[in-house]
Amino acid sequence: MSSKDGQSASASAVKTAPAVVPITDVPSSARVRHFDELSDRTQQAFTTAFPSGHLDIDPETTDLSRGDVVVFTEYVRIQ
């Protein structure tokens, strides 16, 4: 995997915890999940992600992927 400037992405950059970013437009290609569809553990992590924006979950063990959109009190994208 490489970054926009052509440099290799570091392993730590790839393994960082996902972030939650509010959005107003949902891309047509995005997988949209509703909050109540998430596991209890993911819901708990999701509700504590505000205002920091960071999900305290292991991206390897959740059913959320980067680029997914979650319908909560607003639309948010997982980055």
Side-chain angles (χ1 to χ4, degrees):
M1 185 182 301
S2 63
S3 67
K4 290 181 184 178
D5 63 3
Q7 300 296 317
S8 296
S10 69
S12 62
V14 174
K15 295 289 186 179
T16 58
V20 177
V21 180
I23 60 172
T24 55
D25 295 319
V26 178
S28 61
S29 61
R31 181 173 73 152
V32 178
R33 306 290 307 277
H34 291 266
F35 180 79
D36 62 346
E37 296 176 326
L38 305 176
S39 70
D40 290 342
R41 181 172 174 247
T42 303
Q43 284 180 359
Q44 179 62 31
F46 197 85
T47 58
T48 60
F50 299 97
S52 73
H54 295 285
L55 280 171
D56 186 23
I57 55 175
D58 180 354
E60 305 277 332
T61 61
T62 183
D63 57 350
L64 291 176
S65 299
R66 295 180 195 275
D68 286 353
V69 173
V70 176
V71 181
F72 189 49
T73 56
E74 58 189 331
Y75 288 99
V76 294
R77 183 180 59 214
I78 309 303
Q79 287 187 313

